[in-house]
Amino acid sequence: MTTASEVRRSAVARLREAGIDSAEHDAAELLAHVLGTTRGGLALVEALTAPQQASYERLVGRRVAREPLQHLTGTAGFRHVELGVGPGVFTPRPETELLAGWAVERAREVTGRPPVVVDLCTGSGAIALSLATEVPGATVHAVELDHAAVEWAARNLAGSGVHLVEGDMADALPELDGRVDVVVCNPPYIPLEAWESVAPEARDHDPALALWSGDDGLVAMRVLEQTAARLLRPEGWVGAEHADVQGAAAPAVFAGSGRWSDVRDHRDLAGRARYLTARLAR
Ligand SMILES: C[S@@+](CC[C@H](N)C(=O)[O-])C[C@H]1O[C@@H](n2cnc3c(N)ncnc32)[C@H](O)[C@@H]1O
């Protein structure tokens, strides 16, 4: 009989050899998934049955081939919610939790009426679901162009009260023009030429429409700037994630149009430029 800790140690070694930085974490997550427990619960497991060991080895093999961990477990945690994810939808990233938190704070500042919030490029629905969960009473709309992603979002947002729209953010939600308090967006932002530098988990498993955005990675940001200006009330807020190398170029899309005040960029805990925010001028 093989003990759980032996099996796990050998999985960590295989994952490390495959170049996976989070080998310890991923080995534990996959084992917890196979055993129907949590990572904390693994301390109580001494041995695996043969079928459990076989399932685990298969999943570790798929992770070694750089399938995203979240595709193997079928879920991704994001702030206080769990999203179903898999082929056809962008896997929500921890770094986007910062932008979502900023949007939650801005929505909570609205007084005297329910805040109206729009999550453009919603993907799995991660930001929209966080807003609906953390700002009770908010009216939340979510927009997504890719039909496969819309199907994931529809499942994740079922029962949340979020109004999900399939379509291009460029002309979405015309009925809300000038009425929105907060527009939030994690658009595609990787320059086409950066293909080589993108991790295989993203390059081979996130949908192309979720990643690439023209030669400079800012094509979708320019569309967002126009759409946010159309949707927002005067003094309404927009927040958008961007690549760490776009800490000057992405805010410049907003500053350069002359329509915005308070344009600023925000860094993550590691000091990387992460998202911009701006306020529609009166
Ligand atoms: C980087 S992913 C972000 C998904 C999700 N908001 C998140 O943070 O996990 C970008 C998403 O934008 C969608 N998208 C790209 N262009 C779009 C457009 N013009 N209108 C609406 N959605 C678009 C993609 O299909 C993808 O789901």
Side-chain angles (χ1 to χ4, degrees):
M1 187 174 58
T2 327
T3 68
S5 55
E6 278 167 352
V7 173
R8 190 164 144 191
R9 258 201 311 279
S10 117
V12 171
R14 285 176 68 194
L15 294 169
R16 275 215 189 100
E17 208 173 308
I20 294 167
D21 292 339
S22 52
E24 297 263 2
H25 169 271
D26 291 12
E29 275 293 327
L30 289 174
L31 189 55
H33 175 68
V34 166
L35 300 179
T37 183
T38 58
R39 271 190 289 150
L42 290 176
L44 305 172
V45 179
E46 285 185 4
L48 303 189
T49 64
Q52 285 170 336
Q53 189 173 343
S55 301
Y56 186 53
E57 301 289 352
R58 261 196 308 278
L59 285 179
V60 171
R62 288 171 63 186
R63 186 72 191 98
V64 162
R66 305 301 291 261
E67 272 190 60
L69 176 70
Q70 296 87 344
H71 282 203
L72 301 176
T73 60
T75 60
F78 187 85
R79 292 181 66 86
H80 305 291
V81 298
E82 281 280 317
L83 288 307
V85 293
V89 72
F90 180 85
T91 301
R93 308 292 207 269
E95 51 266 36
T96 307
E97 293 176 327
L98 285 179
L99 171 66
W102 172 88
V104 164
E105 284 169 23
R106 295 293 79 72
R108 283 181 178 157
E109 285 169 2
V110 175
T111 51
R113 57 187 163 76
V116 180
V117 187
V118 174
D119 174 22
L120 297 171
C121 300
T122 198
S124 65
I127 300 175
L129 187 57
S130 293
L131 283 156
T133 308
E134 296 181 52
V135 194
T139 304
V140 183
H141 304 263
V143 177
E144 172 56 50
L145 180 58
D146 184 341
H147 180 70
V150 169
E151 290 187 332
W152 283 101
R155 284 191 291 273
N156 287 324
L157 295 173
S160 68
V162 174
H163 170 223
L164 175 63
V165 174
E166 179 169 353
D168 192 328
M169 66 169 156
D171 50 17
L173 300 169
E175 68 278 16
L176 295 182
D177 284 1
R179 296 183 43 216
V180 175
D181 296 294
V182 183
V183 169
V184 61
C185 182
N186 177 15
Y189 52 65
I190 306 178
L192 290 170
E193 63 174 28
W195 196 86
E196 295 263 333
S197 67
V198 177
E201 285 85 347
R203 206 176 59 198
D204 302 339
H205 298 280
D206 282 323
L209 193 60
L211 300 180
W212 316 109
S213 196
D215 287 343
D216 65 355
L218 290 170
V219 170
M221 195 63 77
R222 294 188 191 96
V223 176
L224 168 66
E225 189 275 325
Q226 297 193 6
T227 302
R230 168 172 68 76
L231 289 172
L232 287 170
R233 297 170 180 272
E235 300 199 299
W237 288 98
V238 62
E241 187 168 312
H242 56 67
D244 53 5
V245 294
Q246 294 167 342
V253 170
F254 286 77
S257 79
R259 293 195 267 225
W260 302 90
S261 64
D262 303 307
V263 180
R264 62 167 287 224
D265 205 59
H266 303 251
R267 292 178 180 269
D268 62 19
L269 292 175
R272 283 180 302 247
R274 199 67 271 162
Y275 68 97
L276 68 89
T277 57
R279 200 162 200 192
L280 191 62
R282 272 175 201 264

